[in-house]
Amino acid sequence: MAKKLFTILVLMLFTLSMSAQKSAILPQPQFQFLKGKNILNLRKRKTADHSKVVAASLDITLGLFGVHRLYLGTSPQIPVIYTLTLGGGGFLVLSDLGVILFTKDLEQYADNPHVIMWADANKEKSPQLED
């Protein structure tokens, strides 16, 4: 079992390193059809990018390795933490599944850099007190 987990971890790290090198090796394409258009509007995230069904199925099948968090968009170290702790002993996987299934807006958890994805999702920044 440990040998399989080590192999999966090595493959994940290899894939992450290859994706980082790929952008440095390949030449950047020239997009002439975008000339004169506002590129910032094209890069904005849509409000309904992620499917709850896909996220829940990834959580059920590969949740111990944090693949559902990769689907929702997170930093690469989060799946490594999930893999090393086996999904936080199963707690993180089950809590993430509950959040995915019972939330109305899944996009509030997208691109979350925290290990516990629901911990800081609804926190508002507190207003600064002026002197």
Side-chain angles (χ1 to χ4, degrees), residues 46-86:
K46 296 178 184 175
T47 57
D49 278 345
H50 301 106
S51 167
K52 288 173 82 170
V53 174
V54 173
S57 63
L58 285 173
D59 186 27
I60 291 169
T61 57
L62 298 170
L64 293 177
F65 308 111
V67 176
H68 63 290
R69 294 293 302 276
L70 283 175
Y71 173 71
L72 292 174
T74 189
S75 57
Q77 66 260 23
I78 299 299
V80 173
I81 293 170
Y82 269 69
T83 301
L84 293 176
T85 63
L86 290 178

Side-chain angles (χ1 to χ4, degrees), residues 31 33-44:
F31 296 107
F33 64 92
L34 293 178
K35 201 171 201 175
K37 293 184 180 179
N38 188 358
I39 295 176
L40 294 176
N41 288 339
L42 295 174
R43 290 186 182 182
K44 282 186 180 177

Side-chain angles (χ1 to χ4, degrees), residues 2 100 126-127:
I100 290 168
S126 60

